[in-house]
Amino acid sequence: MNPFKNKKGLGRGLSSLIGDADIKTSSKNKVLVSSLERNKYQPRKVFDAENLNELSNSIKERGIIQPIVVRKSKNDPEKFEIIAGERRWLAAQNAGLHEVPVVIVNADDLKSLEFAIVENVQRKDLNPIEEAQGYQRLIDEFNYDQDKVAKFIGKSRAHVTNCLRLLTLPKEVISFIEEGKLTQGHAKILVGLNNSYLLSKKIIDQKLSVRQTENLIRALKLTKKIKSQIKDPNLKSLEDSLREKLGINVFIQNKKNNSGNISFNYKDLDQLNRLIMVIKANY
C-alpha cells in the first residue's frame, strides 16, 4: 500500500514520484529519530521557529500522521537519509519523540532532489530563493532545462524563468528575500537594476508595496531619461555655430568617456555638396 495515494496536492505529487514498486516497507515501519540524517539535496534552508513549534505541539497530541520518506544513507549503513519530511523530523525531536514512522524508498540523487522540491513547492514551504536554487540545481547537476523543470514541477516556464532570475541579484538583496524582508513581487522588479541594493533598502525602510515600488522605479527611469536628454550647453552652442556656418543641421553626441559622434542632416543634394566642399576646402 502506498500511504501517499489518494491525497490532495502533495500526495498526488509524491505518489507519482515514488511509485508502488519503489516502496520497500510500509508506513507502519518506525525508526529511531537519531538514525535519520538531513537530505543533502534539501532545498529548504530556513525553518520558521513559530510554525515548527506549532507542528511540535500537534505531534505531541496526534503523533506524525504522514510518514517521513527516506532512503538508505550512503555514508552510514545504519542510518537513513530524509528525502521528504525534514520539518516533521525536526518537530518530532522538539516534541521528544524517540521513533518516527517512515517509508523507505529506492531513490538516486536526482529522485531525492525531485522529492524534496515537490514536497516543499507544493506545500509552499520554500522562500523564493530556495525554490530558485532547487531549480538551478536540477539544471546544473542533472541536465534539466527550464522547460523540463516547468513541466516536472507543474508551473509555467515564465514562473521558472522569473525564479531563476532572482539568483542574479546582489547577495545582499538575496539575503533580504531569504529573511522575508522583500517579497518575490518586489524582487522581480529589482532584477537587472544597477542600484537594486539601495532600492531594496528604500523599499524595506519605507515599507513600500509592490505597486508603490513599480511607481518608484518608473519615476526613477523617467528622471534618468529626462536627464540624458538635457544637452550640455557647450555642445548646444557648438551645434548652433556649425549650423550657422554650414547651413545644415548638426547633432553632436558626447559620452562620459568623451567619445561620441557628429551627424549632419541635409535636405537635398545641394546641401550635401556644400558640406563636401567645406570639408575638402579645409582638410
Side-chain angles (χ1 to χ4, degrees):
M1 175 183 175
N2 184 343
F4 296 94
K5 289 265 188 176
N6 302 321
K7 302 284 185 182
K8 293 184 178 180
L10 170 63
R12 286 201 302 271
L14 287 180
S15 177
S16 67
L17 286 174
I18 295 174
D20 289 334
D22 289 332
I23 297 179
K24 298 179 67 176
T25 64
S26 75
S27 61
K28 295 180 180 179
N29 189 69
K30 289 190 174 184
V31 299
L32 293 173
V33 169
S34 59
S35 68
L36 299 183
E37 61 184 24
R38 192 176 191 276
N39 180 1
K40 64 181 179 180
Y41 289 106
Q42 167 64 270
R44 190 177 182 190
K45 305 291 188 263
V46 180
F47 293 85
D48 183 87
E50 184 176 346
N51 290 338
L52 197 62
N53 187 53
E54 289 176 357
L55 180 57
S56 296
N57 292 334
S58 175
I59 288 175
K60 286 179 183 179
E61 292 189 15
R62 303 180 184 84
I64 296 181
I65 298 174
Q66 184 133 28
I68 298 171
V69 182
V70 301
R71 67 173 177 170
K72 281 284 188 179
S73 171
K74 291 183 178 180
N75 303 318
D76 188 339
E78 300 298 320
K79 290 194 172 187
F80 299 92
E81 182 183 89
I82 298 171
I83 293 178
E86 182 173 342
R87 182 168 169 267
R88 275 163 275 156
W89 174 56
L90 294 173
Q93 294 178 62
N94 293 342
L97 270 61
H98 298 292
E99 293 182 326
V100 290
V102 298
V103 170
I104 305 172
V105 300
N106 288 315
D108 57 17
D109 289 344
L110 171 58
K111 190 67 69 176
S112 179
L113 177 58
E114 289 178 336
F115 272 124
I117 291 176
V118 164
E119 180 187 46
N120 285 294
V121 170
Q122 290 191 354
R123 292 175 63 121
K124 302 186 185 302
D125 282 342
L126 298 177
N127 67 54
I129 297 301
E130 291 171 334
E131 183 179 350
Q133 289 171 338
Y135 296 159
Q136 192 64 57
R137 201 161 188 178
L138 284 173
I139 292 170
D140 291 343
E141 298 183 28
F142 300 103
N143 298 317
Y144 272 54
D145 57 27
Q146 291 189 22
D147 287 325
K148 189 174 179 180
V149 172
K151 185 176 180 181
F152 160 70
I153 207 64
K155 303 276 188 179
S156 68
R157 190 183 188 283
H159 172 82
V160 173
T161 299
N162 286 332
C163 277
L164 292 172
R165 291 180 69 207
L166 298 181
L167 299 180
T168 65
L169 288 164
K171 61 181 181 180
E172 296 88 354
V173 180
I174 287 177
S175 295
F176 289 150
I177 302 169
E178 290 175 324
E179 294 163 7
K181 295 179 179 179
L182 284 178
T183 68
Q184 186 169 3
H186 289 109
K188 283 166 58 178
I189 303 171
L190 297 175
V191 171
L193 299 179
N194 294 329
N195 56 345
S196 58
Y197 173 64
L198 294 176
L199 286 170
S200 65
K201 292 197 68 176
K202 188 180 186 69
I203 292 168
I204 295 169
D205 293 341
Q206 298 187 11
K207 299 180 180 179
L208 300 180
S209 66
V210 173
R211 178 66 64 83
Q212 289 172 325
T213 301
E214 289 175 338
N215 292 336
L216 171 65
I217 302 302
R218 194 177 297 114
L220 290 174
K221 286 182 177 179
L222 180 60
T223 301
K224 185 176 180 181
K225 183 178 180 181
I226 292 173
K227 285 183 177 179
S228 66
Q229 292 175 342
I230 298 175
K231 180 149 301 196
D232 185 302
N234 294 324
L235 291 180
K236 187 69 172 64
S237 176
L238 185 55
E239 286 177 344
D240 293 340
S241 176
L242 289 172
R243 186 180 300 111
E244 289 177 7
K245 291 181 179 181
L246 299 174
I248 298 175
N249 286 330
V250 180
F251 298 94
I252 303 174
Q253 290 182 323
N254 188 60
K255 300 176 183 178
K256 289 183 178 180
N257 62 356
N258 289 325
S259 66
N261 59 75
I262 300 176
S263 60
F264 301 89
N265 289 359
Y266 56 87
K267 296 179 181 179
D268 50 41
L269 287 179
D270 287 339
Q271 285 193 340
L272 175 59
N273 289 331
R274 180 176 178 180
L275 175 61
I276 293 173
M277 288 174 60
V278 170
I279 293 175
K280 285 183 175 181
N282 289 278
Y283 295 96

